[in-house]
Amino acid sequence: MANRKLFIKSYGCQMNVYDAGRMTDVLTPLGYATTSRPDEADLVILNTCHIREKAAEKVFSDLGRLRAVKAARAEQGLDQMIVVAGCVAQAEGEALMARAPVVDVVVGSQAYHRLPELIARVHREAGRAIDTSFPADPKFDFLPQPSVQGPTAFLAVQEGCDKFCAYCVVPYTRGPEASRPVAAILDEARHLAQGGVREITVLGQNVNAYHGEGPDGRPWTLGRLLEALAAVPGIARLRYTTSHPRDMGDDLVIAHRDNPALMPFVHLPVQSGSDRVLAAMNRGHDRATYLRLIDRLRAARADLSFSSDFIVGHPGETEADLEATLSLIDAVGFVHSYAFKYSPRPGTPSAAHPGQLSPEVKSERLARVQERLGVHQRAALDLAVGTTMSVLLDRPGRHPGQLIGRGPAMQPVHLGTPGLAIGDLVEARIVAAGPLSLAGEPVEPERDASPPAWRVA
Ligand code: SAH
Ligand code: SF4
Ligand code: F3S
């Protein structure tokens, strides 16, 4: 049983990264250790994303390559089991089984705690297995505490979505909105902090719709949960993602004023700056409401900065609509954003809209949106030069002795100072800005007395 190797690859969002970690934790007690080489893996898990066509198709090209790897291993008398997990598994499990005979197990995003059972069944019966159910008892009740990988960690607090934006598959792949109880979240946070985690990003497809049961038996808001998380010893920084403009309640706005652990940075996807397009997208907010929300948040904390997601070329989008998106980008001055070409997804209302745009128009508009976003991103980095900010060092840099961390607004900051270590939270003076990152010098390093095991000098 021991010494088996697991290759696991995640596509898509942070929730998938978190889920991949949890799947690994479920399999560790069975003797699986991770490898970065599919050819030496006894078990391969592709943790898939269905959000755009390109993401979904990647799975099939990866499965094509894996078929050759599996055949080569079979020639040496070595077994390999292939599992497809995540949102493609959830949305198209049966079709995937039919189209890709190389796949042994399909497991959806709510059933992956059952992986040991499914794997054992396939071994025992030399067959195939599929589980895309939404079990009545949530998977979190069955998962072991997560292993700690470094000074930052994700923690899922809410899952699923009831918003049904007209272009989006998430309500179908992740199911309805559900929140974990406060006590389970605090247990997980304490466990992470004891392992040396200093920064937690709480995750949810609609994280600010959080309404989990508190210890008082009543539903708690995200603002209240963040207050409790800030009190966990060892936790210095908190973030949350992804929020929906419709769910940004007063208590969360106020948390940005009153909770010093909460980083002054909000990812608040707007998708478009045009009211016509926002209505066609069924976003449930307009441009003015979004801009007022940005003002409310800035009034609570003046140094707040924002990032967003944009969909360019939604069916029916005109030149004037695109201009409205560009002017909204200028009005907010996002420090970092993602822009995507609209991708029609099976079964969604937007895919049936008669006003589909050509790939050329989408590409040309995407380039203009990205250009405008780049102007604001570079301006924000340039403005940081000469200021001082806190940086949590979380990975080695490219050059010997160099470490990289994140500033409050997720800016990558490079420090080349000897004597620092991953996990240090340092005050750094910013001395230079590049196109995507900053360079700094520490003002006053703060070191832990007892470094955790993953720490590298
Ligand atoms: N729950 C989050 C994130 C959902 S998916 C939210 O509401 O914002 C992440 C991003 O993918 C979305 O914000 C959107 O910009 C993009 N996206 C979703 N569906 C898409 C589609 N059909 N085509 C292109 N981009 C899409
Ligand atoms: Fe998709 Fe909209 Fe839900 Fe976000 S809020 S996950 S974009 S349906
Ligand atoms: Fe993709 Fe599923 Fe996340 S579709 S973006 S992996 S919720």
Side-chain angles (χ1 to χ4, degrees):
M1 277 280 163
N3 295 329
R4 291 193 287 194
K5 291 251 159 55
L6 163 68
F7 173 82
I8 183 161
K9 176 174 174 182
S10 254
Y11 315 69
C13 62
Q14 289 107 323
M15 187 69 90
N16 256 14
V17 174
Y18 175 82
D19 288 344
R22 303 305 305 258
M23 282 187 247
T24 308
D25 298 331
V26 168
L27 294 167
T28 306
L30 302 183
Y32 286 100
T34 51
T35 170
S36 56
R37 292 183 41 183
D39 61 323
E40 62 174 37
D42 304 286
L43 178 62
V44 172
I45 301 179
L46 302 182
N47 192 27
T48 60
C49 172
H50 203 239
I51 201 82
R52 284 168 290 274
E53 191 180 353
K54 247 196 207 151
E57 280 305 314
K58 240 184 240 161
V59 185
F60 291 99
S61 53
D62 281 353
L63 284 173
R65 273 190 291 276
L66 280 172
R67 198 170 52 210
V69 171
K70 188 168 175 165
R73 278 178 61 92
E75 272 178 28
Q76 299 166 42
L78 298 169
D79 209 21
Q80 183 171 70
M81 188 177 294
I82 298 181
V83 177
V84 178
C87 291
V88 176
Q90 191 68 53
E92 297 185 351
E94 300 283 353
L96 196 123
M97 277 285 200
R99 180 170 162 189
V102 73
V103 174
D104 300 293
V105 176
V106 165
V107 66
S109 39
Q110 304 309 328
Y112 63 69
H113 57 291
R114 294 179 177 155
L115 264 174
E117 237 170 279
L118 294 165
I119 291 170
R121 194 183 341 143
V122 168
H123 273 305
R124 200 170 53 236
E125 297 168 8
R128 303 169 87 195
I130 178 164
D131 189 344
T132 50
S133 60
F134 283 76
D137 295 326
K139 60 181 179 258
F140 297 108
D141 294 354
F142 303 92
L143 295 171
Q145 288 292 4
S147 62
V148 173
Q149 304 294 340
T152 64
F154 292 136
L155 201 175
V157 302
Q158 180 278 344
E159 218 174 326
C161 180
D162 298 334
K163 300 282 190 298
F164 291 92
C165 297
Y167 50 79
C168 186
V169 290
V170 171
Y172 312 97
T173 65
R174 290 276 169 175
E177 266 179 28
S179 298
R180 293 175 70 188
V182 172
I185 293 165
L186 292 179
D187 273 353
E188 193 168 323
R190 281 190 282 266
H191 170 85
L192 293 169
Q194 278 158 15
V197 168
R198 317 266 342 245
E199 174 180 300
I200 291 179
T201 302
V202 299
L203 296 182
Q205 267 86 35
N206 264 289
V207 73
N208 55 350
Y210 178 82
H211 59 272
E213 189 187 308
D216 51 4
R218 291 159 176 262
W220 277 29
T221 60
L222 185 63
R224 195 151 176 214
L225 176 70
L226 289 166
E227 196 183 321
L229 284 167
V232 171
I235 297 304
R237 285 175 153 197
L238 292 169
R239 304 180 184 278
Y240 59 93
T241 202
T242 296
S243 293
H244 194 289
R246 267 161 68 185
D247 293 321
M248 193 56 84
D250 281 337
D251 75 303
L252 189 52
V253 174
I254 287 165
H256 279 285
R257 187 190 67 195
D258 295 344
N259 187 339
L262 190 54
M263 291 291 96
F265 175 68
V266 184
H267 182 58
L268 195 60
V270 66
Q271 314 299 355
S272 169
S274 151
D275 283 343
R276 273 189 63 244
V277 176
L278 289 170
M281 288 177 163
N282 189 33
R283 286 288 292 177
H285 64 83
D286 59 13
R287 175 192 176 100
T289 320
Y290 185 85
L291 290 173
R292 262 200 310 275
L293 180 53
I294 298 279
D295 286 346
R296 257 169 74 212
L297 282 155
R298 283 203 167 122
R301 186 157 177 178
D303 64 345
L304 259 184
S305 52
F306 297 92
S307 68
S308 179
D309 292 344
F310 292 88
I311 296 180
V312 181
H314 186 270
E317 184 191 77
T318 63
E319 263 302 311
D321 295 324
L322 188 84
E323 286 299 330
T325 296
L326 295 174
S327 78
L328 180 125
I329 292 171
D330 290 339
V332 179
F334 298 100
V335 297
H336 180 258
S337 287
Y338 299 95
F340 309 100
K341 265 187 268 187
Y342 166 71
S343 168
R345 306 306 295 129
T348 58
S350 296
H353 190 294
Q356 303 292 323
L357 300 178
S358 72
E360 294 74 29
V361 168
K362 288 194 247 183
S363 297
E364 187 263 339
R365 289 185 185 171
L366 178 69
R368 282 156 68 195
V369 167
Q370 280 174 332
E371 196 266 333
R372 191 68 64 94
L373 289 169
V375 168
H376 291 284
Q377 178 166 338
R378 282 189 299 278
L381 291 171
D382 287 344
L383 263 178
V385 176
T387 65
T388 300
M389 64 174 70
S390 78
V391 178
L392 177 58
L393 296 168
D394 60 9
R395 67 212 131 111
R398 234 180 295 150
H399 308 295
Q402 190 187 52
L403 293 171
I404 307 178
R406 297 277 184 179
M410 293 296 282
Q411 313 94 320
V413 183
H414 295 66
L415 296 180
T417 321
L420 294 176
I422 289 177
D424 284 344
L425 187 58
V426 296
E427 264 318 287
R429 184 171 307 105
I430 303 306
V431 294
L436 299 171
S437 64
L438 300 169
E441 287 166 353
V443 179
E444 211 179 274
E446 179 204 320
R447 296 294 295 266
D448 279 353
S450 53
W454 41 257
R455 173 168 274 186
V456 295

